[in-house]
């Protein structure tokens, strides 16, 4: 008997499986009976009553997976790696052909579009990010090579998107807006040396470099929306990773009959490397990610997301050289966590989501001179509790309605000290302050997208934002976009809109500031050469107003800051703490 089981064991060890979900891109309704096939093979299956597909005993390799359904546009996901003993998780959002432009004459589409980001956006799958040259399996580095995006400095995730500062980028993970997804981040900005989102659990990333719709606000330049996959539902699995700078553990598996759970923990061992090289400072970090999903029947689903990151820098000042070197470095210790509960409900012609989330970051910064006298100390905490509701309705095949609201209640408290006894030019003032305040942010948006005739799609919307700490607490931002099919495979797009961003909390400690504002227009032409190849050219204009500028250093506008590790090496240790005015343009 033991010999007869060997072929089965060998087969399990040399094959993998695939579990997918197929649903309407707008309403998220499961598409029962949708076909999912591995292109060029005999492997495939049809979706069940929940829109789920399971394909097993797939030989290890790289495949193109196509999903199709009558009355819907077919979608292909490329470069799907099936590994022995592992289960892939895929989701297919099929747009109805009735509401698409005539470019659906292409049999299957490799390029998925989002109504909220009709221009200047690109969707990347897990495999595209993992295999991106120079990406180091980091979601931010993978998009840093896209058109219109520049890294401010090597080894950092401080992105300059179409001329916008690193503080102007929005990160959304599973419907939760996160201030920064990087270790050792800059307070008030969005950069850092590496991301703490584990790529192994990322399903796909949608990145917009401008012209995004009314759903997204409080940032001026870009939106990165990261959708995490669900855990595997067939059995418990995981892996141990040892990489160039860190080691970690992943685990995932079923949660009852209708749910799944996944978890990861990672730790750097840079401290061992830095110590061996006799560096005067040692960075250390941990990060954790957990997600649980459970279906409550065919129309309801609950999910929980938890992310944590612990960062610390230790200094060794045993020699004069180490003390001098460390005097040019800003010590950066951070503890942060983010959590979110989400309820998703399917309706007859749409869906809605309700989320309750919490974000918290504790910042500790310190810089001393070569005699170990403190020049700059800061210890602050920023926490927000967020309640958000979004809905998408499709009253007719030609009309899509999107609307929602959000409320954020926060508390910000801490203290700082500048000591400019040495006359430093990078800190041309001395000050001390402690603060403890609460904040309230409210927002609401509405957007309608419809077809006009057979070749034009129009999207019109607007959002209202309120921030009680701003000098102009309430602002309204109208936006519009149009896509015209000039030829069967050529589309011309135009997007115009007003975008507002509330000042960072750290900027408001000493100041009364207005919402930052940019008026933006984007004009683009896209041509599909064949089903898997397209060419797109875009031009844009951005006009900034009410940007915070330094009163202590009149040459400085905060659009020029927020990148780097801080300290005298970067020439700016006190990003946003100094006296400011909304005078930059």
């Amino acid at each position: 008997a033991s010999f007869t089981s060997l072929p089965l064991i060998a087969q399990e060890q040399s094959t993998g499986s695939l579990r997918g979900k197929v649903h309407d891109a707008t309403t998220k309704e499961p598409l029962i009976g949708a076909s999912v096939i591995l292109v060029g093979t005999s492997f495939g299956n049809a979706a069940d009553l929940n829109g789920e597909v399971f394909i097993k005993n797939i030989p290890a390799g790289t495949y193109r997976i196509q999903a199709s359904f009558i009355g819907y546009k077919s979608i292909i996901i490329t470069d799907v790696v099936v590994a022995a003993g592992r289960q892939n998780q895929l989701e297919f959002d099929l747009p109805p052909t009735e509401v698409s432009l005539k470019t659906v004459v292409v049999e299957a589409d490799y390029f998925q579009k989002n109504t909220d980001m009709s221009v200047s956006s690109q969707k990347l799958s897990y495999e595209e990010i993992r295999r991106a040259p120079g990406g180091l399996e980091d979601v931010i580095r993978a998009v840093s090579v896209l058109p219109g995006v520049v890294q401010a400095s090597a080894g950092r995730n401080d992105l300059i998107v179409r001329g916008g500062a690193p503080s102007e980028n929005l990160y959304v993970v599973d419907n939760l807006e996160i201030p920064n997804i990087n270790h050792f981040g800059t307070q008030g900005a969005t950069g850092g040396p590496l991301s703490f989102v584990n790529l192994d659990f990322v399903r796909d990333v949608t990145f917009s470099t401008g012209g995004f719709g009314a759903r997204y606000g409080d940032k001026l330049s870009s939106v990165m929306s990261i959708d995490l996959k669900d855990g595997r539902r067939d059995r418990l699995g995981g892996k141990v990773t040892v990489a160039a700078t860190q080691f970690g553990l992943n685990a995932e598996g079923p949660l009852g009959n209708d749910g799944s759970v996944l978890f990861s923990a990672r730790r750097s061992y840079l401290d061992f490397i830095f110590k061996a090289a006799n560096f005067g400072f040692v960075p250390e970090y941990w990060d954790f990610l957990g997600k649980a999903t459970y279906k409550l029947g065919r129309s309801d689903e609950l999910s929980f997301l938890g992310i944590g990151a612990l960062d610390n820098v230790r200094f060794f000042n045993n020699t004069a050289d180490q003390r001098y070197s460390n005097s040019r470095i800003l010590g950066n210790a951070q503890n942060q966590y983010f959590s979110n509960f989400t309820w998703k409900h399917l309706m007859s012609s749409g869906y809605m989501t309700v989320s309750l989330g919490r974000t918290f970051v504790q910042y500790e910064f310190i810089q001393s001179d070569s005699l170990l006298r403190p020049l700059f100390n800061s210890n602050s905490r920023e926490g927000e509790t967020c309640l958000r509701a979004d809905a998408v309705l499709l009253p007719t095949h030609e009309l899509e309605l999107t609307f929602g609201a959000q409320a954020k209640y926060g508390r910000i408290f801490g203290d700082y000290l500048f000591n400019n006894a040495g006359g430093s030019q990078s800190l041309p003032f001395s000050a001390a302050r402690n603060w403890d305040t609460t904040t309230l942010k409210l927002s609401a948006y509405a957007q309608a997208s419809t077809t006009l005739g057979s070749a034009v799609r129009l999207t019109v919307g607007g959002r209202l934002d309120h921030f009680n700490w701003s000098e102009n607490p309430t602002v309204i931002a109208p936006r519009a976009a149009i896509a015209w099919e000039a030829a069967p495979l050529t589309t011309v797009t135009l997007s115009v809109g007003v975008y507002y961003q509330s000042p960072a909390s750290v900027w408001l400690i000493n100041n009364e500031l207005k919402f930052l504002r940019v008026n933006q227009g984007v004009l683009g032409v896209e041509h599909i050469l064949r089903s898997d190849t397209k060419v797109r050219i875009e031009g844009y204009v951005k006009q900034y107003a009410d940007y915070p500028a330094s009163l202590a250093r009149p040459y400085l506008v905060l659009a020029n800051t927020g990148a780097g590790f801080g300290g005298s090496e970067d020439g700016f240790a006190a990003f946003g703490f100094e006296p400011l005015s909304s005078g930059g343009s």
Side-chain angles (χ1 to χ4, degrees):
S2 61
F3 286 97
T4 59
S5 66
L6 285 178
L8 294 177
I9 295 173
Q11 184 184 38
E12 288 183 2
Q13 291 177 342
S14 62
T15 63
S17 61
L18 182 148
R19 184 179 295 275
K21 297 179 181 178
V22 188
H23 37 64
D24 186 297
T26 302
T27 66
K28 304 303 179 183
E29 182 74 15
L31 298 181
I32 303 171
S35 172
V36 175
I37 63 171
L38 282 66
V39 179
T41 76
S42 59
F43 289 92
N45 209 340
D48 61 16
L49 294 177
N50 295 316
E52 296 185 354
V53 177
F54 181 63
I55 306 173
K56 61 181 180 178
N57 296 330
I58 305 171
T62 303
Y63 298 92
R64 291 178 297 149
I65 315 296
Q66 176 177 317
S68 57
F69 192 65
I70 296 176
Y72 287 80
K73 193 175 183 179
S74 297
I75 292 293
I76 291 181
I77 298 179
T78 65
D79 301 315
V80 177
V81 177
V82 176
R86 294 185 59 188
Q87 184 182 87
N88 286 69
Q89 300 279 347
L90 299 177
E91 288 203 19
F92 298 89
D93 297 317
L94 303 189
T97 55
E98 293 87 352
V99 297
S100 301
L101 301 181
K102 289 189 294 185
T103 52
V104 296
V105 295
V106 179
E107 289 186 1
D109 199 347
Y110 292 86
F111 310 106
Q112 301 180 46
K113 296 182 179 180
N114 187 322
T115 306
D116 290 327
M117 305 179 191
S118 56
V119 301
S120 309
S121 68
Q122 186 160 335
K123 190 169 186 176
L124 303 174
S125 68
Y126 157 77
E127 278 299 330
E128 289 176 300
I129 299 170
R130 187 184 69 83
R131 300 165 70 175
L136 299 177
E137 297 195 359
D138 188 312
V139 292
I140 300 181
R141 296 197 183 198
V143 304
S144 67
V145 298
L146 295 179
V149 186
V150 175
Q151 284 179 291
S153 59
R156 293 276 303 185
N157 286 341
D158 307 306
L159 298 186
I160 309 297
V161 180
R162 289 186 173 175
S167 55
E168 299 176 22
N169 305 315
L170 175 64
Y171 297 123
V172 182
V173 181
D174 270 8
N175 209 42
L176 175 66
E177 296 180 0
I178 293 180
N180 192 349
I181 62 172
N182 289 293
H183 286 287
F184 300 105
T186 303
Q187 189 172 7
T190 61
L194 74 164
S195 168
F196 53 67
V197 176
N198 189 339
L199 181 61
D200 288 336
F201 294 152
V202 172
R203 186 175 74 239
D204 53 54
V205 173
T206 303
F207 186 66
S208 172
T209 54
F212 42 89
R215 172 186 173 91
Y216 301 100
D218 209 19
K219 294 295 180 182
L220 301 180
S221 287
S222 77
V223 174
M224 176 184 286
S225 179
I226 301 174
D227 291 325
L228 302 178
K229 71 173 188 177
D230 297 335
R232 61 188 300 173
R233 292 176 49 190
D234 57 338
R235 62 185 181 187
L236 183 66
K239 73 172 186 177
V240 175
T241 302
V242 179
T245 59
Q246 65 185 10
F247 59 88
L249 170 69
N250 294 354
E252 56 180 317
L255 182 64
N257 295 325
D258 297 301
S260 65
V261 63
L262 52 80
F263 173 79
S264 77
R266 303 185 298 181
R267 187 199 190 278
S268 72
Y269 47 75
L270 288 174
D271 48 332
F272 306 122
I273 299 173
F274 277 49
K275 285 178 184 176
N278 201 31
F279 276 51
F281 68 98
V282 176
E284 304 169 341
Y285 68 80
W286 285 84
D287 61 52
F288 308 90
L289 187 151
K291 179 181 177 180
T293 305
Y294 197 84
K295 290 187 68 67
L296 303 174
R298 187 166 176 265
S299 301
D300 297 276
E301 182 180 88
L302 289 177
S303 64
F304 168 78
L305 171 67
I307 301 176
L310 307 175
D311 305 331
N312 186 41
V313 175
R314 287 192 292 159
F315 289 101
F316 301 98
N317 294 302
N318 302 321
T319 67
D321 287 343
Q322 287 179 329
R323 289 191 292 271
Y324 173 75
S325 176
N326 290 340
S327 71
R328 305 177 63 80
I329 297 170
L330 181 67
N332 184 343
Q334 299 180 18
N335 295 323
Q336 47 192 329
Y337 71 84
F338 314 101
S339 60
N340 197 36
F341 289 92
T342 300
W343 167 51
K344 183 176 180 179
H345 175 67
L346 298 182
M347 298 178 287
S348 59
S349 59
Y351 71 97
M352 65 175 294
T353 59
V354 178
S355 299
L356 178 63
R358 172 73 177 169
T359 65
F360 175 85
V361 186
Q362 177 185 359
Y363 297 98
E364 293 184 12
F365 299 101
I366 183 170
Q367 185 170 2
S368 302
D369 63 15
S370 58
L371 299 177
L372 302 184
R373 296 176 301 187
L375 294 176
F376 172 59
N377 287 334
S378 172
N379 189 335
S380 62
R381 292 166 175 80
E382 299 182 3
E384 281 187 332
T385 301
C386 172
L387 178 63
R388 178 180 185 126
D390 302 276
V392 177
L393 297 178
L394 196 68
T396 69
H397 289 307
E398 293 77 23
L399 178 63
E400 176 183 327
L401 300 177
T402 308
F403 51 92
Q406 180 175 250
K408 291 182 177 181
Y409 178 80
R411 183 189 176 198
I412 295 103
F413 62 98
D415 56 76
Y416 71 87
L417 168 68
F418 293 145
N419 180 9
N420 195 34
S424 169
Q425 291 303 307
S426 64
L427 296 172
F429 54 92
S430 296
R433 174 80 187 274
N434 54 55
W435 66 94
D436 188 344
T437 189
T438 58
T439 63
L440 178 64
K441 289 184 178 181
L442 303 174
S443 63
Y445 72 91
Q447 181 173 280
S449 183
T450 185
T451 55
L452 302 176
S454 60
V456 176
R457 186 164 187 88
L458 177 66
T459 302
V460 178
R463 63 178 291 122
L464 179 147
D465 286 280
H466 174 85
F467 182 35
N468 68 322
W469 209 358
S470 176
E471 186 178 344
N472 55 335
T474 304
V475 293
I476 297 176
R479 299 173 194 175
I482 188 169
W484 169 49
E485 188 179 326
L489 297 177
T490 303
T491 304
V492 179
T493 56
L494 173 65
S495 172
V496 294
V498 179
Y499 297 81
Y500 287 98
Q501 178 176 329
S502 59
S505 300
V506 66
W507 304 351
L508 290 164
I509 293 171
N510 297 302
N511 313 284
E512 290 187 4
L513 298 173
K514 298 179 180 179
F515 272 89
L516 291 66
R517 171 176 173 151
V518 65
N519 300 328
Q520 183 173 185
V522 184
L523 177 64
V525 178
E526 178 180 290
H527 181 70
I528 296 184
L529 298 177
R530 62 183 197 182
S531 62
D532 63 351
T533 307
K534 73 175 180 180
V535 176
R536 184 173 183 85
I537 301 174
E538 287 189 350
Y540 68 91
V541 58
K542 297 169 75 175
Q543 183 182 41
Y544 284 88
D546 299 327
Y547 220 102
S550 173
L551 297 176
R553 292 175 278 182
Y555 60 85
L556 180 65
V557 177
L558 292 198
N560 310 125
T561 61
F565 289 97
S568 58
E569 290 286 353
D570 296 301
F572 189 54
F575 172 54
F577 282 92
E578 61 191 283
L580 302 170
S581 173
S582 296
S585 63

